[in-house]
Amino acid sequence: MSDLNNVIELLKKLSNGEVIDAPLPDDNLLDNYEKEINFCLPKDYRKLLKEADNIFYGTIELLLVTKEKKYPSELSLVLNEARELGLPEDWLPICEDNGSYYCLLPNGKVHYWTPDGYSNDSWEDLADWVEQVWINGD
C-alpha cells in the first residue's frame, strides 16, 4: 500500500512543475463544493485536490474543482454526466478516461467504471491509484 504524501511528492517531482492553468482548491472552496454536489469529499481526496489537482503529468489528470467551473473536466459537470450514464450515486468520479471514469468508492477503494459495466479494475486506495495509474500508467 502506498503512502499518499509520498506519491504526491513523487508526482510533483515527475511533473517538473508542469501544471494546468487552474488554481488549486482550498478548504473553503472544497466545503462549498461539497454542499453544491451533495457529496462529502474524503480526507485523502481533499488532500490530493489541494496539492495536486492542477498537476499535468502523463496521459490522465484529476477532475478539477474550481470556483469558476469553466473547464470541461470540472468535477461537478463530469459527476452529472456520469450519473446520467448510470454511475452509482455513492461513487465519486475523480478522473475521466475516454468516456469511462476512475471513481472513489465509499470504502476508500478506487474503481474503474465504464458505462457498459464491464470492468473489474480497482485499487486499494487513492495513493495506490495515483502510483499505479497516474504515475506508472498501469
Side-chain angles (χ1 to χ4, degrees):
M1 188 179 295
S2 303
D3 175 74
L4 188 60
N5 291 318
N6 291 341
V7 295
I8 289 173
E9 288 309 311
L10 179 59
L11 189 58
K12 288 178 181 178
K13 182 179 176 184
L14 291 171
S15 72
N16 290 320
E18 291 289 322
V19 294
I20 298 162
D21 184 25
L24 289 172
D26 59 17
D27 283 321
N28 187 46
L29 176 58
L30 293 174
D31 290 345
N32 289 334
Y33 214 91
E34 283 181 328
K35 292 174 190 159
E36 181 183 321
I37 66 171
N38 195 28
F39 208 103
C40 182
L41 304 175
K43 186 176 106 180
D44 281 355
Y45 184 51
R46 288 176 70 103
K47 178 177 183 53
L48 185 63
L49 288 172
K50 292 190 307 184
E51 297 185 27
D53 195 26
N54 66 351
I55 287 181
F56 181 77
Y57 179 75
T59 60
I60 63 170
E61 60 190 54
L62 289 176
L63 295 175
L64 296 171
V65 173
T66 66
K67 185 177 182 179
E68 297 81 19
K69 296 179 187 58
K70 65 180 181 178
Y71 301 93
S73 60
E74 183 73 37
L75 173 60
S76 60
L77 299 174
V78 173
L79 176 62
N80 289 334
E81 291 168 5
R83 284 188 175 155
E84 286 176 11
L85 294 172
L87 181 76
E89 288 290 318
D90 59 348
W91 290 25
L92 182 68
I94 58 171
C95 175
E96 190 267 336
D97 182 35
N98 295 320
S100 296
Y101 306 91
Y102 293 97
C103 300
L104 196 54
L105 278 55
N107 63 6
K109 290 188 177 196
V110 176
H111 188 82
Y112 187 70
W113 182 84
T114 61
D116 61 19
Y118 294 113
S119 176
N120 290 321
D121 294 339
S122 64
W123 297 264
E124 279 303 308
D125 58 25
L126 204 49
D128 282 343
W129 176 81
V130 170
E131 181 178 40
Q132 294 176 29
V133 177
W134 197 353
I135 293 175
N136 295 334
D138 292 343

